[in-house]
Amino acid sequence: MNNQAMMEKVLELAAKGAATTQPNPQVGCIIVNDGVIVGEGYHHLAGELHAERLALAQAGDKARGATAYVSLEPCCHQGRTPPCTDGLIDAGITKVVAAMRDPNPRVSGSGFELLKNAGIEVIDGVLEQQARWLNRGFIHRMMHGRPWVKLKSAATLDGRTAAFDGKSKWITGDDARAQVQTIRSQCSAVLTGIGTVLADDPNLNVRTSEGQTRQPLRVLLDSQLRIPLEARIIGDDNNLVIFTHSDDLDKVGALIEKGAEVIQMQGANSEQIELNAVLKELSKWQCNEVLIEAGQTLSGSFLEQGLVDELTLFYAGSLLGDQGKSMFQFDRPLEFEKRSEFVIKGVSMVGSDIKVDAVSQNSADRLSPSD
């Protein structure tokens, strides 16, 4: 059976867990015996059985002498679930075809080594680039100590996010807004600034009809702790973390009583919170992918500091002219030679709007197999 064709099926299977596996990676597994698929599975939720275990359970005795195709090196350590290497060995699997090595230092080659020592043939690197893109957030966190950062924005054809007076509801159509809900659901956290909260009072949760079982962490940057205690972003689910410089203990106490986590950062005299420090902290919280949904100032700061890995931009068929609010505000004029470089990965129609997906060239390089 063609390894690449089968791995394509495995990656499609793995992607079914995009909205639910955080902070774990998305993993799929298909077991083939004598050219016939006898078992398949994908990781659904952190703490539940891994893809290999689910596929083995479906295959039963037909797993003996079979080949297991997996999108990620099988785990070899005891976590909340037993090691998948043990399951593959005990089931009598004779060959494992994998897309890539696990970047988690607790695994990283050890899983393959255990399988080889048990007499199982191991082939890895099949559609590795596609597998790395699928789990770009997990890989980036494991290898670089910070989440993969996506930035989403919606604008008119001339790149304006709001009219001169700040009015912006709604620039894009229903289909684009529905897709934003899907994008949110696939991220570990959604981050915004206090300016957006004061202007729009968003709740930033996921609202879909697809049985969403996991809400991303809501993250607010609010240096002076100006958030109103009745702001919708606080919610009632204890799922908000606020980064601040403020030492207003009464306000901090009131927010904690409402279920928010408040992290006081260094630099009390600074208006802007150190963004890289925020991302490193979110990595400790096991956030794989952070979605930026903010105004022009905070979005511009993330871009200006080279902290945006991926862009998703929606463009509506309208114009607001040069007095409208721009998508990104930078602190200083940017010379043409120093412009940020992004590689466009796709352009599509979403209802009546245009969607552009792009990745930073530097970020793409960090995802390469040789990294």
Side-chain angles (χ1 to χ4, degrees), residues 83-141:
C84 291
T85 48
D86 291 357
L88 293 166
I89 293 168
D90 293 342
I93 292 291
T94 58
K95 182 177 179 180
V96 170
V97 179
M100 61 172 288
R101 176 178 295 202
D102 192 334
N104 186 341
R106 297 178 69 186
V107 184
S108 194
S110 299
F112 289 152
E113 195 64 30
L114 275 172
L115 295 173
K116 291 175 183 177
N117 290 341
I120 297 175
E121 180 185 358
V122 175
I123 298 174
D124 71 290
V126 179
L127 298 188
E128 181 172 0
Q129 197 65 49
Q130 292 91 320
R132 293 177 77 84
W133 179 255
L134 180 70
N135 280 312
R136 54 197 180 277
F138 177 76
I139 293 168
H140 203 272
R141 176 168 67 88

Side-chain angles (χ1 to χ4, degrees), residues 4-312:
Q4 289 198 1
M6 187 53 62
M7 192 59 70
E8 287 178 358
K9 295 180 180 293
V10 171
L11 292 174
E12 289 176 5
L13 195 60
K16 290 184 177 182
T20 58
T21 62
Q22 306 273 352
N24 290 354
Q26 302 166 57
V27 182
C29 178
I30 293 178
I31 297 174
V32 176
N33 196 331
D34 197 22
V36 177
I37 295 176
V38 295
E40 60 180 44
Y42 70 92
H43 187 43
H44 292 73
L45 288 168
E48 293 189 359
L49 288 178
H50 289 184
E52 297 93 325
R53 291 279 180 177
L54 292 170
L56 288 170
Q58 190 178 102
D61 292 341
K62 294 178 182 177
R64 190 158 301 278
T67 296
Y69 292 85
V70 293
S71 57
L72 186 69
E73 177 183 6
C75 64
C76 56
H77 61 280
Q78 177 69 48
R80 285 187 281 181
T81 58
C84 291
T85 48
D86 291 357
L88 293 166
I89 293 168
D90 293 342
I93 292 291
T94 58
K95 182 177 179 180
V96 170
V97 179
M100 61 172 288
R101 176 178 295 202
D102 192 334
N104 186 341
R106 297 178 69 186
V107 184
S108 194
S110 299
F112 289 152
E113 195 64 30
L114 275 172
L115 295 173
K116 291 175 183 177
N117 290 341
I120 297 175
E121 180 185 358
V122 175
I123 298 174
D124 71 290
V126 179
L127 298 188
E128 181 172 0
Q129 197 65 49
Q130 292 91 320
R132 293 177 77 84
W133 179 255
L134 180 70
N135 280 312
R136 54 197 180 277
F138 177 76
I139 293 168
H140 203 272
R141 176 168 67 88
M142 285 293 167
M143 298 188 69
H144 303 289
R146 75 159 173 85
W148 180 267
V149 177
K150 295 182 178 182
L151 191 153
K152 185 276 298 179
S153 188
T156 57
L157 287 176
D158 54 347
R160 303 297 164 174
T161 60
F164 70 94
D165 57 0
K167 186 174 181 180
S168 63
K169 194 175 181 178
W170 296 97
I171 286 181
T172 53
D174 292 342
D175 292 337
R177 296 200 297 276
Q179 192 159 124
V180 169
Q181 297 299 317
T182 299
I183 294 170
R184 281 183 189 173
S185 74
Q186 295 174 354
C187 290
S188 306
V190 181
L191 184 151
T192 196
I194 185 59
T196 296
V197 169
L198 294 176
D200 300 333
D201 193 23
N203 52 31
L204 291 188
N205 61 2
V206 176
R207 303 177 297 279
T208 71
S209 58
E210 300 172 4
Q212 174 76 16
T213 59
R214 182 194 64 85
Q215 286 287 342
L217 180 70
R218 299 185 300 280
V219 180
L220 173 64
L221 306 191
D222 183 3
S223 62
Q224 303 306 311
L225 218 55
R226 294 187 290 153
I227 180 175
L229 292 177
E230 65 276 8
R232 293 200 301 163
I233 195 173
I234 297 174
D236 56 5
D237 55 0
N238 301 333
N239 201 35
L240 170 68
V241 57
I242 303 171
F243 289 86
T244 186
H245 290 151
S246 174
D247 57 2
D248 184 343
L249 297 182
D250 289 339
K251 186 70 171 286
V252 169
L255 288 165
I256 291 174
E257 283 186 10
K258 285 182 166 289
E261 179 92 14
V262 180
I263 297 179
Q264 292 168 298
M265 307 289 284
Q266 294 181 347
N269 296 323
S270 172
E271 280 295 318
Q272 188 173 87
I273 293 168
E274 186 182 350
L275 303 183
N276 200 43
V278 168
L279 294 177
K280 287 182 177 179
E281 180 65 26
L282 292 177
S283 180
K284 296 176 185 177
W285 285 48
Q286 295 188 304
C287 289
N288 291 336
E289 298 184 358
V290 173
L291 178 65
I292 309 299
E293 289 197 54
Q296 61 178 177
T297 302
L298 184 55
S299 294
S301 294
F302 270 98
L303 281 164
E304 205 168 15
Q305 294 178 37
L307 296 174
V308 175
D309 302 299
E310 186 178 349
L311 291 171
T312 296

